[in-house]
Amino acid sequence: MPYTVDILPEGQQFTAAADESLLTAAERAGMHLPFGCRNGSCGACRARLLDGQLEYPDPPQALSEMESAAGLVLLCQAQARSKLRLQMADRCAVAGQTLRTLPARIVSRRKLTTDVLELVLELPRTERLDYLPGQYLDILLKGGGRRSFSIANAPRADGRIELHLRLVADGRFTPFAFAQLQERSLLRFEAPLGSFFLRDHAGPAILVAGGTGLAPLKAMIESELGARRDLHLYWGARSRPDLYLHDWVRQRVQGGSLRYTPVLSEPGPDGAWNGATGLVHSVVAADYPDLSGHDVYMSGPPAMIQAGKRSFFAQGLDPERLYYDSFDYAFATWGGASAS
């Protein structure tokens, strides 16, 4: 039998069959809910269960025990077993967005490192994409495939879109992009996607990037330049060359409310690096033993996200004030560059 699902605070309602995910049921009803991977690994579709019973066919990877204990659930995996009441406090920001399929031309390509490529896309003159800094797009491939990449810039007056692609040797798209995509090549993409964006909170925010997980955080930083909000960016990479926009970040620190701590996991034996070393989440934990008054935004490999959750929750971070974008096509060790 179908079950009724109420979404608060808007009061919207849909019905869900027992054998379908809540996300699928909501989409079937024409509702636009935030989502990412659809396989339970990214956490973009988190909601709070206020009342009712649900089950998962398989334990969701993106939810920690503390998040589950706090009542958080993943809509892309959860199936209703009774009438449900769910709360999605941040859904208002994306509820009015229209998911669009658009063409784009590559107007610039440059290698930021040997395995990170920057692409700048230009839309047709009559088109413009409305998105929130931190969201991502899906490049549509021939044969029905798609690959997800975070938008690496805040909305610009010229409407151009910046992407950071990390080369995945056995990937379906990035080897082609590195070897064959040239300026003036055409792509099609679907956007805006995801619920990774800065919330309108007054308190300080810690931004934690692993490799090309910098991309969505860069867009957030651009959107906040000149604002008074205290932001502290931690960027974890393997070696100094992997900090591919190190100088760009340092320039944004000057005279503003942004602080920056780069962290290298393999700084090399020559002693040239005098900054922080180790795993990026461990450096954050050492600098902020009490996280009870902070928002934390994490973007990068799943291993980094999971390690950060365990550490940050133990240091007082409210599970509902942790926001993350988990890059599936990433190194298991988050010192290196990652890609979505």
Side-chain angles (χ1 to χ4, degrees):
M1 61 176 291
Y3 299 102
T4 302
V5 181
D6 290 308
I7 300 289
L8 302 178
E10 293 96 330
Q12 291 183 291
Q13 188 178 88
F14 62 93
T15 59
D19 61 349
E20 66 179 343
S21 73
L22 299 179
L23 176 62
T24 297
E27 291 177 329
R28 179 169 47 77
M31 293 182 61
H32 178 48
L33 300 183
F35 69 91
C37 63
R38 290 184 178 271
N39 62 21
S41 65
C42 78
C45 60
R46 286 190 307 174
R48 176 179 288 277
L49 177 63
L50 300 178
D51 189 46
Q53 301 293 322
L54 53 77
E55 290 182 356
Y56 296 105
D58 297 296
Q61 302 173 36
L63 280 185
S64 67
E65 290 184 7
M66 188 167 183
E67 287 172 297
S68 295
L72 299 179
V73 299
L74 290 188
L75 303 186
C76 73
Q77 301 297 300
Q79 297 177 346
R81 295 295 180 263
S82 72
K83 180 178 179 179
L84 301 175
R85 293 173 64 243
L86 302 170
Q87 183 178 46
M88 300 190 73
D90 298 308
R91 198 178 85 82
C92 294
V94 299
Q97 290 184 326
T98 300
L99 188 62
R100 306 181 65 196
T101 299
L102 294 167
R105 186 182 302 276
I106 298 173
V107 294
S108 172
R109 70 182 306 278
R110 61 170 177 147
K111 281 190 175 181
L112 302 176
T113 69
T114 56
D115 64 353
V116 177
L117 177 68
E118 176 195 79
L119 295 181
V120 179
L121 310 181
E122 183 176 67
L123 302 180
R125 292 182 181 179
T126 57
E127 300 289 355
R128 185 175 182 84
L129 178 67
D130 293 321
Y131 65 93
L132 297 172
Q135 289 187 296
Y136 69 94
L137 57 77
D138 274 359
I139 292 179
L140 306 179
L141 309 180
K142 292 181 179 180
R146 56 176 63 209
R147 288 296 180 267
S148 302
F149 296 96
S150 295
I151 301 174
N153 62 287
R156 293 167 36 170
D158 62 10
R160 290 183 174 182
I161 294 171
E162 177 185 332
L163 306 177
H164 299 167
L165 282 62
R166 183 182 69 84
L167 179 63
V168 179
D170 58 351
R172 185 175 171 187
F173 176 72
T174 56
F176 167 78
F178 271 70
Q180 299 184 45
L181 274 183
Q182 301 298 323
E183 292 184 6
R184 302 193 62 77
S185 296
L186 292 175
L187 297 171
R188 291 174 66 250
F189 68 84
E190 187 176 73
L193 294 164
S195 58
F196 190 61
F197 55 87
L198 276 175
R199 271 55 177 181
D200 188 19
H201 298 166
I206 299 169
L207 314 178
V208 186
T212 52
L214 175 72
L217 301 181
K218 174 179 176 290
M220 294 179 184
I221 290 169
E222 287 183 356
S223 71
E224 290 292 301
L225 291 178
R228 295 183 179 180
R229 186 172 188 182
D230 180 19
L231 301 178
H232 192 161
L233 170 67
Y234 288 81
W235 187 9
R238 179 174 292 137
S239 62
R240 171 61 185 84
D242 295 315
L243 297 172
Y244 57 85
L245 288 181
H246 182 64
D247 291 338
W248 182 94
V249 179
R250 292 180 63 187
Q251 291 170 7
R252 270 69 189 172
V253 170
Q254 305 301 321
S257 58
L258 174 68
R259 288 180 287 166
Y260 173 43
T261 302
V263 182
L264 298 185
S265 62
E266 299 178 15
D270 57 5
W273 178 255
N274 58 7
T277 60
L279 299 179
V280 64
H281 80 280
S282 298
V283 177
V284 176
D287 289 351
Y288 290 90
D290 181 5
L291 288 168
S292 57
H294 293 77
D295 290 346
V296 176
Y297 296 81
M298 300 185 73
S299 177
M304 184 193 80
I305 304 295
Q306 296 302 322
K309 283 184 181 183
R310 291 190 295 269
S311 178
F312 300 160
F313 291 158
Q315 294 179 223
L317 179 66
D318 183 340
E320 292 196 77
R321 296 185 68 177
L322 172 66
Y323 310 97
Y324 49 88
D325 190 8
S326 182
F327 287 16
D328 288 337
Y329 294 96
F331 290 141
T333 301
W334 55 94
S338 61
S340 57

